[in-house]
Amino acid sequence: MALITLKDVNISFGADAILDNANLTIEANERIGLIGRNGAGKSTLLKLIDGEILPDDGELIRQQSIITGRLIQEVPNDLDYDIRSVIALGDEKRGPKLAEFYVDDNSDNNANDTLQAELNELDAWSLDHRVQVLCSKFDLNGDQRFSSLSGGMKRRVLMARALVKEPDIVLLDEPTNHLDIDTILWLENLLLGLNVTLIIVSHDRSFIDRLCTRIVELDRGMITSYPGNFNTYISSKAKAIEEEERHNAKFDKRLSQEEVWIRQGIQARRTRNEGRVRALKKMRDERRQRRERQGTASINLNQGGKSGKVVIEAKNLHAEFDKKVIIDDFSCRILRGDKVGIIGPNGCGKSTLIKALTGETEPQRGEVKIGTSLQIAYLDQHRSAIRDDLSVQDNVSGNTEIEINGQRKHIMGYLQDFLFSPARARAPAAKLSGGERNRLMLAKLFTQPFNFLVLDEPTNDLDYETLELLEQLLMDYSGTLLLVSHDRTFLDNVVTSTIAFEGDGKVFEYIGGYEDWLRQKRDEAKMAKPSSIIGDSTDSQVQNNAQPKTPIKPGPAVKAKKLSYKLQRELDLMPQKIDDLEKKIESLTQEMARPEFYQQDASKITEVGNTLKSQQEDLEACFTRWEELEEM
């Protein structure tokens, strides 16, 4: 039996319905990726599943005693407690008393005795044990104040809070926001090990792709389910859009023909044609009620003139903070047209490095030479350039017209390119969602001409279509780019080299994006341990960021060795094995896409889902093995 079922559910907060006769079935131990455009209603759907709101119409069926835990998108600013108390408050019934006990632990004995009696009655000591376990598992100091933590650590505490009731369903709204790559990998492994149903809203494509076994899309009030991971969804969605466009074109053509017919005169109103007239009225109503797909942002970069060939040359940079070395003897040379990614844990010194490289601050030691004719545009991760008391329009420009690439454009037309309607453009920035604030910051940034672009976490809260558009713009951008991001897919698609913070002040530059850096670290680890064999723990150690002391250096050319008969046979058969697995995955995906599939017994649904997941893992293992054999 399904944990939760939505049948013809309707929710509306304005002219367009957030949910329009929506249907959804959630099974045990599923990992669902919930995606949709900014403002489509993803957070509303999570609130509905959590029981915070009720549908306007339709039916919401929940199994008895189902427990949900939820990680909200925004970090609360009003939690002035220690970490233990914040986690305990995830249990609405027992948490407040337990938090009171943590605060009053050293207070008047009589009052403490009364409180302990109340805790005994509530069976709050089992909750206390759960809090201690989560603090240990999440590597948290329970006595530390929540307000003193970094954004990433606060998200970690709130994740523990979502799990404190041992829920059956965990709802995660942008769980990777403010997290560095190390913590995202840690969170991925944690979630994969949980025996619960997960429903995840995230802009991080690598995160969704690795975790999710089904993608649920919320689009124009309708819910559509796509079995498989994110990459499978991309291909299926493209086919669905083509089919919708064909259907709409066919419908509009027929409607146009009927409109011509009705205007032919009296014969259209003869008794024998009344049915056709009624059908036309129905078609008009259907066309009027059709909700078109939201357009894609149309972003253009306001590129300045060419800079000098050498943009930045840094030598022997050294920086310390609180007597701790964060950059130790780092040198680099950035040329015009380079696209450089910067990765590393939160607080490692990425912002310090950016400020030194762009000349905003003087390095404590070392030398930085800035190239000629530089026009720098900078997007900071805190979006501090946005004023909440101003409208969207006034945040971008106080004038009615702006100039982009030498052409004058009305401010409203420019903002519509960033998906702001005229009404939204006149609204105060304080009312914007996270994704809208990010689009506003990009709109403001791109009004000025530049040839050196610095982006600090530009992907936060952007929907997938806007994210892919920004990605393509940066790939085509002819100027120089310095990019700080924890989005692995974005880095892989955009940057040509990566500056990595590797601990103890060691900062090195590598060719390629995140996956290229990871592969070079693996190769370096293997060179450091020549006795290691395939299948040992080296890869997992590198994946968990074991820190080598020196950057990779090219070794002497090694003469290729001939594979043994057994290994050569394995290599020869690998393409056929991969092809067979892909066919099986495609067959299972088509089976799970049929509407009647989810009407059968839950055990059968789970069995097919597990088989699909297993074969996807086998396929990934085959590609990895094929690469190993080719390298050998």
Side-chain angles (χ1 to χ4, degrees), residues 71 83 87 130-141 152-164 172 183 186-187 190-191 194:
L71 176 69
I83 287 174
I87 297 173
R130 176 73 174 161
V131 170
Q132 306 303 332
V133 168
L134 287 170
C135 282
S136 175
K137 189 171 187 176
F138 283 52
D139 194 22
L140 299 169
N141 177 3
M153 288 301 293
K154 285 180 177 177
R155 298 292 287 181
R156 188 182 286 220
V157 174
L158 294 174
M159 184 70 209
R161 173 174 162 159
L163 296 174
V164 74
L172 305 173
T183 309
W186 168 84
L187 181 59
L190 172 75
L191 295 176
L194 294 178

PDB file of all heavy atoms in Angstrom, residues 71 83 87 130-141 152-164 172 183 186-187 190-191 194:
ATOM      1  N   LEU A  71      13.187  19.320   5.866  1.00  0.00           N
ATOM      2  CA  LEU A  71      14.255  20.314   5.865  1.00  0.00           C
ATOM      3  C   LEU A  71      13.800  21.464   4.989  1.00  0.00           C
ATOM      4  O   LEU A  71      13.639  21.307   3.778  1.00  0.00           O
ATOM      5  CB  LEU A  71      15.552  19.719   5.315  1.00  0.00           C
ATOM      6  CG  LEU A  71      16.730  20.679   5.161  1.00  0.00           C
ATOM      7  CD1 LEU A  71      17.249  21.107   6.521  1.00  0.00           C
ATOM      8  CD2 LEU A  71      17.851  20.056   4.338  1.00  0.00           C
ATOM      9  N   ILE A  83      22.782  23.545  19.919  1.00  0.00           N
ATOM     10  CA  ILE A  83      22.505  22.590  18.844  1.00  0.00           C
ATOM     11  C   ILE A  83      21.580  21.470  19.316  1.00  0.00           C
ATOM     12  O   ILE A  83      20.659  21.054  18.596  1.00  0.00           O
ATOM     13  CB  ILE A  83      23.836  22.022  18.299  1.00  0.00           C
ATOM     14  CG1 ILE A  83      24.554  23.094  17.484  1.00  0.00           C
ATOM     15  CG2 ILE A  83      23.608  20.772  17.463  1.00  0.00           C
ATOM     16  CD1 ILE A  83      25.936  22.698  17.007  1.00  0.00           C
ATOM     17  N   ILE A  87      17.895  20.499  17.492  1.00  0.00           N
ATOM     18  CA  ILE A  87      17.570  19.161  16.982  1.00  0.00           C
ATOM     19  C   ILE A  87      16.337  18.611  17.691  1.00  0.00           C
ATOM     20  O   ILE A  87      15.422  18.075  17.052  1.00  0.00           O
ATOM     21  CB  ILE A  87      18.773  18.214  17.153  1.00  0.00           C
ATOM     22  CG1 ILE A  87      19.970  18.693  16.317  1.00  0.00           C
ATOM     23  CG2 ILE A  87      18.396  16.789  16.763  1.00  0.00           C
ATOM     24  CD1 ILE A  87      21.248  17.914  16.545  1.00  0.00           C
ATOM     25  N   ARG A 130      18.219   9.901  21.110  1.00  0.00           N
ATOM     26  CA  ARG A 130      18.243  10.095  19.666  1.00  0.00           C
ATOM     27  C   ARG A 130      19.032  11.358  19.306  1.00  0.00           C
ATOM     28  O   ARG A 130      19.807  11.378  18.343  1.00  0.00           O
ATOM     29  CB  ARG A 130      16.799  10.197  19.150  1.00  0.00           C
ATOM     30  CG  ARG A 130      16.652  10.501  17.678  1.00  0.00           C
ATOM     31  CD  ARG A 130      17.000   9.326  16.807  1.00  0.00           C
ATOM     32  NE  ARG A 130      16.720   9.593  15.409  1.00  0.00           N
ATOM     33  CZ  ARG A 130      17.243   8.909  14.393  1.00  0.00           C
ATOM     34  NH1 ARG A 130      18.061   7.907  14.627  1.00  0.00           N
ATOM     35  NH2 ARG A 130      16.935   9.202  13.160  1.00  0.00           N
ATOM     36  N   VAL A 131      18.860  12.425  20.072  1.00  0.00           N
ATOM     37  CA  VAL A 131      19.598  13.677  19.842  1.00  0.00           C
ATOM     38  C   VAL A 131      21.094  13.439  19.979  1.00  0.00           C
ATOM     39  O   VAL A 131      21.891  13.911  19.153  1.00  0.00           O
ATOM     40  CB  VAL A 131      19.127  14.776  20.821  1.00  0.00           C
ATOM     41  CG1 VAL A 131      20.049  15.990  20.756  1.00  0.00           C
ATOM     42  CG2 VAL A 131      17.695  15.197  20.512  1.00  0.00           C
ATOM     43  N   GLN A 132      21.495  12.694  21.030  1.00  0.00           N
ATOM     44  CA  GLN A 132      22.923  12.426  21.243  1.00  0.00           C
ATOM     45  C   GLN A 132      23.499  11.605  20.083  1.00  0.00           C
ATOM     46  O   GLN A 132      24.625  11.863  19.618  1.00  0.00           O
ATOM     47  CB  GLN A 132      23.141  11.668  22.572  1.00  0.00           C
ATOM     48  CG  GLN A 132      22.538  12.330  23.799  1.00  0.00           C
ATOM     49  CD  GLN A 132      23.050  13.746  24.022  1.00  0.00           C
ATOM     50  OE1 GLN A 132      24.158  14.080  23.626  1.00  0.00           O
ATOM     51  NE2 GLN A 132      22.227  14.572  24.656  1.00  0.00           N
ATOM     52  N   VAL A 133      22.723  10.632  19.603  1.00  0.00           N
ATOM     53  CA  VAL A 133      23.175   9.794  18.481  1.00  0.00           C
ATOM     54  C   VAL A 133      23.376  10.643  17.233  1.00  0.00           C
ATOM     55  O   VAL A 133      24.384  10.509  16.516  1.00  0.00           O
ATOM     56  CB  VAL A 133      22.158   8.656  18.203  1.00  0.00           C
ATOM     57  CG1 VAL A 133      22.464   7.972  16.873  1.00  0.00           C
ATOM     58  CG2 VAL A 133      22.185   7.634  19.325  1.00  0.00           C
ATOM     59  N   LEU A 134      22.417  11.546  16.936  1.00  0.00           N
ATOM     60  CA  LEU A 134      22.513  12.389  15.748  1.00  0.00           C
ATOM     61  C   LEU A 134      23.680  13.373  15.853  1.00  0.00           C
ATOM     62  O   LEU A 134      24.363  13.642  14.855  1.00  0.00           O
ATOM     63  CB  LEU A 134      21.202  13.137  15.527  1.00  0.00           C
ATOM     64  CG  LEU A 134      20.036  12.279  15.020  1.00  0.00           C
ATOM     65  CD1 LEU A 134      18.719  13.052  15.067  1.00  0.00           C
ATOM     66  CD2 LEU A 134      20.290  11.782  13.600  1.00  0.00           C
ATOM     67  N   CYS A 135      23.920  13.914  17.054  1.00  0.00           N
ATOM     68  CA  CYS A 135      25.074  14.810  17.237  1.00  0.00           C
ATOM     69  C   CYS A 135      26.366  14.076  16.921  1.00  0.00           C
ATOM     70  O   CYS A 135      27.277  14.628  16.274  1.00  0.00           O
ATOM     71  CB  CYS A 135      25.104  15.349  18.665  1.00  0.00           C
ATOM     72  SG  CYS A 135      23.930  16.678  18.995  1.00  0.00           S
ATOM     73  N   SER A 136      26.455  12.836  17.363  1.00  0.00           N
ATOM     74  CA  SER A 136      27.648  12.039  17.100  1.00  0.00           C
ATOM     75  C   SER A 136      27.777  11.709  15.615  1.00  0.00           C
ATOM     76  O   SER A 136      28.848  11.854  15.025  1.00  0.00           O
ATOM     77  CB  SER A 136      27.598  10.754  17.927  1.00  0.00           C
ATOM     78  OG  SER A 136      28.678   9.914  17.607  1.00  0.00           O
ATOM     79  N   LYS A 137      26.652  11.299  15.003  1.00  0.00           N
ATOM     80  CA  LYS A 137      26.662  10.898  13.591  1.00  0.00           C
ATOM     81  C   LYS A 137      26.991  12.071  12.682  1.00  0.00           C
ATOM     82  O   LYS A 137      27.663  11.918  11.657  1.00  0.00           O
ATOM     83  CB  LYS A 137      25.290  10.315  13.230  1.00  0.00           C
ATOM     84  CG  LYS A 137      25.220   9.664  11.860  1.00  0.00           C
ATOM     85  CD  LYS A 137      23.897   8.922  11.683  1.00  0.00           C
ATOM     86  CE  LYS A 137      23.887   8.133  10.386  1.00  0.00           C
ATOM     87  NZ  LYS A 137      22.656   7.329  10.241  1.00  0.00           N
ATOM     88  N   PHE A 138      26.522  13.269  13.043  1.00  0.00           N
ATOM     89  CA  PHE A 138      26.718  14.443  12.214  1.00  0.00           C
ATOM     90  C   PHE A 138      27.930  15.265  12.651  1.00  0.00           C
ATOM     91  O   PHE A 138      28.160  16.351  12.139  1.00  0.00           O
ATOM     92  CB  PHE A 138      25.466  15.331  12.256  1.00  0.00           C
ATOM     93  CG  PHE A 138      24.329  14.827  11.408  1.00  0.00           C
ATOM     94  CD1 PHE A 138      23.869  13.533  11.507  1.00  0.00           C
ATOM     95  CD2 PHE A 138      23.717  15.662  10.500  1.00  0.00           C
ATOM     96  CE1 PHE A 138      22.824  13.072  10.740  1.00  0.00           C
ATOM     97  CE2 PHE A 138      22.663  15.222   9.709  1.00  0.00           C
ATOM     98  CZ  PHE A 138      22.217  13.914   9.838  1.00  0.00           C
ATOM     99  N   ASP A 139      28.688  14.724  13.622  1.00  0.00           N
ATOM    100  CA  ASP A 139      29.903  15.381  14.111  1.00  0.00           C
ATOM    101  C   ASP A 139      29.598  16.806  14.594  1.00  0.00           C
ATOM    102  O   ASP A 139      30.217  17.780  14.165  1.00  0.00           O
ATOM    103  CB  ASP A 139      30.970  15.401  13.017  1.00  0.00           C
ATOM    104  CG  ASP A 139      32.358  15.749  13.563  1.00  0.00           C
ATOM    105  OD1 ASP A 139      32.563  15.558  14.778  1.00  0.00           O
ATOM    106  OD2 ASP A 139      33.212  16.213  12.790  1.00  0.00           O
ATOM    107  N   LEU A 140      28.626  16.908  15.516  1.00  0.00           N
ATOM    108  CA  LEU A 140      28.188  18.201  16.037  1.00  0.00           C
ATOM    109  C   LEU A 140      28.472  18.292  17.530  1.00  0.00           C
ATOM    110  O   LEU A 140      28.328  17.308  18.257  1.00  0.00           O
ATOM    111  CB  LEU A 140      26.675  18.389  15.799  1.00  0.00           C
ATOM    112  CG  LEU A 140      26.207  18.374  14.341  1.00  0.00           C
ATOM    113  CD1 LEU A 140      24.689  18.291  14.280  1.00  0.00           C
ATOM    114  CD2 LEU A 140      26.697  19.610  13.601  1.00  0.00           C
ATOM    115  N   ASN A 141      28.856  19.476  17.973  1.00  0.00           N
ATOM    116  CA  ASN A 141      29.019  19.756  19.397  1.00  0.00           C
ATOM    117  C   ASN A 141      27.690  20.282  19.926  1.00  0.00           C
ATOM    118  O   ASN A 141      27.304  21.419  19.656  1.00  0.00           O
ATOM    119  CB  ASN A 141      30.132  20.793  19.604  1.00  0.00           C
ATOM    120  CG  ASN A 141      30.299  21.182  21.064  1.00  0.00           C
ATOM    121  OD1 ASN A 141      29.629  20.644  21.951  1.00  0.00           O
ATOM    122  ND2 ASN A 141      31.190  22.115  21.323  1.00  0.00           N
ATOM    123  N   GLY A 152      26.688  26.382   6.193  1.00  0.00           N
ATOM    124  CA  GLY A 152      26.751  24.950   5.934  1.00  0.00           C
ATOM    125  C   GLY A 152      26.510  24.111   7.181  1.00  0.00           C
ATOM    126  O   GLY A 152      25.813  23.105   7.146  1.00  0.00           O
ATOM    127  N   MET A 153      27.085  24.531   8.316  1.00  0.00           N
ATOM    128  CA  MET A 153      26.888  23.795   9.565  1.00  0.00           C
ATOM    129  C   MET A 153      25.442  23.906  10.043  1.00  0.00           C
ATOM    130  O   MET A 153      24.885  22.959  10.602  1.00  0.00           O
ATOM    131  CB  MET A 153      27.843  24.315  10.631  1.00  0.00           C
ATOM    132  CG  MET A 153      29.291  23.920  10.417  1.00  0.00           C
ATOM    133  SD  MET A 153      29.538  22.122  10.367  1.00  0.00           S
ATOM    134  CE  MET A 153      29.143  21.678  12.063  1.00  0.00           C
ATOM    135  N   LYS A 154      24.814  25.057   9.814  1.00  0.00           N
ATOM    136  CA  LYS A 154      23.402  25.200  10.181  1.00  0.00           C
ATOM    137  C   LYS A 154      22.540  24.224   9.390  1.00  0.00           C
ATOM    138  O   LYS A 154      21.606  23.619   9.932  1.00  0.00           O
ATOM    139  CB  LYS A 154      22.933  26.643   9.934  1.00  0.00           C
ATOM    140  CG  LYS A 154      23.436  27.642  10.959  1.00  0.00           C
ATOM    141  CD  LYS A 154      22.942  29.052  10.659  1.00  0.00           C
ATOM    142  CE  LYS A 154      23.405  30.030  11.736  1.00  0.00           C
ATOM    143  NZ  LYS A 154      22.993  31.425  11.445  1.00  0.00           N
ATOM    144  N   ARG A 155      22.854  24.060   8.093  1.00  0.00           N
ATOM    145  CA  ARG A 155      22.101  23.095   7.283  1.00  0.00           C
ATOM    146  C   ARG A 155      22.287  21.683   7.821  1.00  0.00           C
ATOM    147  O   ARG A 155      21.359  20.877   7.820  1.00  0.00           O
ATOM    148  CB  ARG A 155      22.566  23.152   5.827  1.00  0.00           C
ATOM    149  CG  ARG A 155      22.365  24.465   5.136  1.00  0.00           C
ATOM    150  CD  ARG A 155      20.927  24.805   4.899  1.00  0.00           C
ATOM    151  NE  ARG A 155      20.316  24.017   3.838  1.00  0.00           N
ATOM    152  CZ  ARG A 155      19.063  24.156   3.436  1.00  0.00           C
ATOM    153  NH1 ARG A 155      18.279  25.034   4.025  1.00  0.00           N
ATOM    154  NH2 ARG A 155      18.571  23.428   2.471  1.00  0.00           N
ATOM    155  N   ARG A 156      23.487  21.373   8.303  1.00  0.00           N
ATOM    156  CA  ARG A 156      23.749  20.047   8.862  1.00  0.00           C
ATOM    157  C   ARG A 156      22.906  19.817  10.117  1.00  0.00           C
ATOM    158  O   ARG A 156      22.327  18.747  10.300  1.00  0.00           O
ATOM    159  CB  ARG A 156      25.240  19.926   9.185  1.00  0.00           C
ATOM    160  CG  ARG A 156      25.666  18.526   9.585  1.00  0.00           C
ATOM    161  CD  ARG A 156      27.147  18.481   9.929  1.00  0.00           C
ATOM    162  NE  ARG A 156      27.980  18.552   8.754  1.00  0.00           N
ATOM    163  CZ  ARG A 156      29.093  17.846   8.578  1.00  0.00           C
ATOM    164  NH1 ARG A 156      29.487  17.007   9.514  1.00  0.00           N
ATOM    165  NH2 ARG A 156      29.812  17.965   7.508  1.00  0.00           N
ATOM    166  N   VAL A 157      22.807  20.843  10.981  1.00  0.00           N
ATOM    167  CA  VAL A 157      21.988  20.740  12.195  1.00  0.00           C
ATOM    168  C   VAL A 157      20.519  20.558  11.829  1.00  0.00           C
ATOM    169  O   VAL A 157      19.814  19.721  12.408  1.00  0.00           O
ATOM    170  CB  VAL A 157      22.166  21.993  13.083  1.00  0.00           C
ATOM    171  CG1 VAL A 157      21.206  21.957  14.267  1.00  0.00           C
ATOM    172  CG2 VAL A 157      23.603  22.093  13.580  1.00  0.00           C
ATOM    173  N   LEU A 158      20.046  21.321  10.857  1.00  0.00           N
ATOM    174  CA  LEU A 158      18.642  21.231  10.452  1.00  0.00           C
ATOM    175  C   LEU A 158      18.335  19.884   9.801  1.00  0.00           C
ATOM    176  O   LEU A 158      17.204  19.386   9.890  1.00  0.00           O
ATOM    177  CB  LEU A 158      18.300  22.383   9.501  1.00  0.00           C
ATOM    178  CG  LEU A 158      18.349  23.781  10.130  1.00  0.00           C
ATOM    179  CD1 LEU A 158      18.137  24.847   9.063  1.00  0.00           C
ATOM    180  CD2 LEU A 158      17.313  23.919  11.240  1.00  0.00           C
ATOM    181  N   MET A 159      19.336  19.282   9.155  1.00  0.00           N
ATOM    182  CA  MET A 159      19.161  17.937   8.608  1.00  0.00           C
ATOM    183  C   MET A 159      18.969  16.926   9.731  1.00  0.00           C
ATOM    184  O   MET A 159      18.103  16.046   9.668  1.00  0.00           O
ATOM    185  CB  MET A 159      20.390  17.571   7.759  1.00  0.00           C
ATOM    186  CG  MET A 159      20.282  16.218   7.062  1.00  0.00           C
ATOM    187  SD  MET A 159      19.081  16.222   5.730  1.00  0.00           S
ATOM    188  CE  MET A 159      18.571  14.513   5.778  1.00  0.00           C
ATOM    189  N   ALA A 160      19.776  17.055  10.794  1.00  0.00           N
ATOM    190  CA  ALA A 160      19.622  16.181  11.959  1.00  0.00           C
ATOM    191  C   ALA A 160      18.250  16.390  12.601  1.00  0.00           C
ATOM    192  O   ALA A 160      17.591  15.434  13.022  1.00  0.00           O
ATOM    193  CB  ALA A 160      20.727  16.465  12.975  1.00  0.00           C
ATOM    194  N   ARG A 161      17.797  17.634  12.642  1.00  0.00           N
ATOM    195  CA  ARG A 161      16.479  17.944  13.205  1.00  0.00           C
ATOM    196  C   ARG A 161      15.364  17.262  12.405  1.00  0.00           C
ATOM    197  O   ARG A 161      14.369  16.787  12.966  1.00  0.00           O
ATOM    198  CB  ARG A 161      16.291  19.460  13.207  1.00  0.00           C
ATOM    199  CG  ARG A 161      14.917  19.947  13.596  1.00  0.00           C
ATOM    200  CD  ARG A 161      14.932  21.462  13.703  1.00  0.00           C
ATOM    201  NE  ARG A 161      13.612  22.048  13.652  1.00  0.00           N
ATOM    202  CZ  ARG A 161      13.321  23.242  14.106  1.00  0.00           C
ATOM    203  NH1 ARG A 161      14.258  23.991  14.636  1.00  0.00           N
ATOM    204  NH2 ARG A 161      12.100  23.725  14.018  1.00  0.00           N
ATOM    205  N   ALA A 162      15.503  17.218  11.077  1.00  0.00           N
ATOM    206  CA  ALA A 162      14.492  16.575  10.228  1.00  0.00           C
ATOM    207  C   ALA A 162      14.422  15.066  10.475  1.00  0.00           C
ATOM    208  O   ALA A 162      13.386  14.437  10.227  1.00  0.00           O
ATOM    209  CB  ALA A 162      14.792  16.846   8.761  1.00  0.00           C
ATOM    210  N   LEU A 163      15.522  14.480  10.983  1.00  0.00           N
ATOM    211  CA  LEU A 163      15.573  13.027  11.181  1.00  0.00           C
ATOM    212  C   LEU A 163      15.284  12.611  12.617  1.00  0.00           C
ATOM    213  O   LEU A 163      15.221  11.413  12.910  1.00  0.00           O
ATOM    214  CB  LEU A 163      16.963  12.502  10.789  1.00  0.00           C
ATOM    215  CG  LEU A 163      17.369  12.657   9.322  1.00  0.00           C
ATOM    216  CD1 LEU A 163      18.818  12.231   9.126  1.00  0.00           C
ATOM    217  CD2 LEU A 163      16.464  11.831   8.425  1.00  0.00           C
ATOM    218  N   VAL A 164      15.097  13.568  13.530  1.00  0.00           N
ATOM    219  CA  VAL A 164      15.057  13.230  14.946  1.00  0.00           C
ATOM    220  C   VAL A 164      13.836  12.370  15.304  1.00  0.00           C
ATOM    221  O   VAL A 164      13.892  11.575  16.247  1.00  0.00           O
ATOM    222  CB  VAL A 164      15.104  14.523  15.806  1.00  0.00           C
ATOM    223  CG1 VAL A 164      13.774  15.271  15.769  1.00  0.00           C
ATOM    224  CG2 VAL A 164      15.528  14.212  17.232  1.00  0.00           C
ATOM    225  N   LEU A 172      13.134  17.160   1.628  1.00  0.00           N
ATOM    226  CA  LEU A 172      14.342  17.985   1.607  1.00  0.00           C
ATOM    227  C   LEU A 172      14.194  19.085   0.560  1.00  0.00           C
ATOM    228  O   LEU A 172      14.134  18.806  -0.640  1.00  0.00           O
ATOM    229  CB  LEU A 172      15.571  17.133   1.289  1.00  0.00           C
ATOM    230  CG  LEU A 172      15.811  15.924   2.209  1.00  0.00           C
ATOM    231  CD1 LEU A 172      16.956  15.069   1.690  1.00  0.00           C
ATOM    232  CD2 LEU A 172      16.092  16.394   3.622  1.00  0.00           C
ATOM    233  N   THR A 183      30.896  18.227   1.929  1.00  0.00           N
ATOM    234  CA  THR A 183      29.690  17.990   2.724  1.00  0.00           C
ATOM    235  C   THR A 183      28.575  17.424   1.854  1.00  0.00           C
ATOM    236  O   THR A 183      27.771  16.599   2.316  1.00  0.00           O
ATOM    237  CB  THR A 183      29.231  19.293   3.408  1.00  0.00           C
ATOM    238  OG1 THR A 183      30.341  19.877   4.086  1.00  0.00           O
ATOM    239  CG2 THR A 183      28.127  19.023   4.414  1.00  0.00           C
ATOM    240  N   TRP A 186      29.265  13.824   1.554  1.00  0.00           N
ATOM    241  CA  TRP A 186      28.912  13.196   2.834  1.00  0.00           C
ATOM    242  C   TRP A 186      27.399  13.023   2.941  1.00  0.00           C
ATOM    243  O   TRP A 186      26.898  11.973   3.362  1.00  0.00           O
ATOM    244  CB  TRP A 186      29.445  14.066   3.980  1.00  0.00           C
ATOM    245  CG  TRP A 186      28.908  13.696   5.324  1.00  0.00           C
ATOM    246  CD1 TRP A 186      29.368  12.727   6.163  1.00  0.00           C
ATOM    247  CD2 TRP A 186      27.786  14.294   5.997  1.00  0.00           C
ATOM    248  NE1 TRP A 186      28.607  12.682   7.307  1.00  0.00           N
ATOM    249  CE2 TRP A 186      27.635  13.629   7.234  1.00  0.00           C
ATOM    250  CE3 TRP A 186      26.902  15.321   5.675  1.00  0.00           C
ATOM    251  CZ2 TRP A 186      26.636  13.962   8.144  1.00  0.00           C
ATOM    252  CZ3 TRP A 186      25.904  15.650   6.571  1.00  0.00           C
ATOM    253  CH2 TRP A 186      25.780  14.976   7.788  1.00  0.00           C
ATOM    254  N   LEU A 187      26.641  14.057   2.549  1.00  0.00           N
ATOM    255  CA  LEU A 187      25.180  14.001   2.626  1.00  0.00           C
ATOM    256  C   LEU A 187      24.626  12.947   1.668  1.00  0.00           C
ATOM    257  O   LEU A 187      23.687  12.217   2.013  1.00  0.00           O
ATOM    258  CB  LEU A 187      24.596  15.380   2.299  1.00  0.00           C
ATOM    259  CG  LEU A 187      23.070  15.507   2.353  1.00  0.00           C
ATOM    260  CD1 LEU A 187      22.541  15.163   3.743  1.00  0.00           C
ATOM    261  CD2 LEU A 187      22.625  16.909   1.952  1.00  0.00           C
ATOM    262  N   LEU A 190      25.084   9.637   3.279  1.00  0.00           N
ATOM    263  CA  LEU A 190      24.168   9.513   4.412  1.00  0.00           C
ATOM    264  C   LEU A 190      22.765   9.162   3.933  1.00  0.00           C
ATOM    265  O   LEU A 190      22.126   8.236   4.449  1.00  0.00           O
ATOM    266  CB  LEU A 190      24.134  10.831   5.197  1.00  0.00           C
ATOM    267  CG  LEU A 190      23.062  10.919   6.298  1.00  0.00           C
ATOM    268  CD1 LEU A 190      23.476  10.101   7.503  1.00  0.00           C
ATOM    269  CD2 LEU A 190      22.809  12.361   6.702  1.00  0.00           C
ATOM    270  N   LEU A 191      22.268   9.873   2.924  1.00  0.00           N
ATOM    271  CA  LEU A 191      20.911   9.655   2.432  1.00  0.00           C
ATOM    272  C   LEU A 191      20.760   8.301   1.758  1.00  0.00           C
ATOM    273  O   LEU A 191      19.713   7.657   1.860  1.00  0.00           O
ATOM    274  CB  LEU A 191      20.516  10.772   1.464  1.00  0.00           C
ATOM    275  CG  LEU A 191      20.411  12.175   2.081  1.00  0.00           C
ATOM    276  CD1 LEU A 191      20.103  13.217   1.007  1.00  0.00           C
ATOM    277  CD2 LEU A 191      19.352  12.223   3.165  1.00  0.00           C
ATOM    278  N   LEU A 194      19.975   5.680   4.356  1.00  0.00           N
ATOM    279  CA  LEU A 194      18.748   5.764   5.154  1.00  0.00           C
ATOM    280  C   LEU A 194      17.672   4.844   4.591  1.00  0.00           C
ATOM    281  O   LEU A 194      17.466   4.776   3.379  1.00  0.00           O
ATOM    282  CB  LEU A 194      18.217   7.200   5.165  1.00  0.00           C
ATOM    283  CG  LEU A 194      19.069   8.263   5.868  1.00  0.00           C
ATOM    284  CD1 LEU A 194      18.396   9.634   5.732  1.00  0.00           C
ATOM    285  CD2 LEU A 194      19.263   7.922   7.344  1.00  0.00           C
TER     286      LEU A 194
END
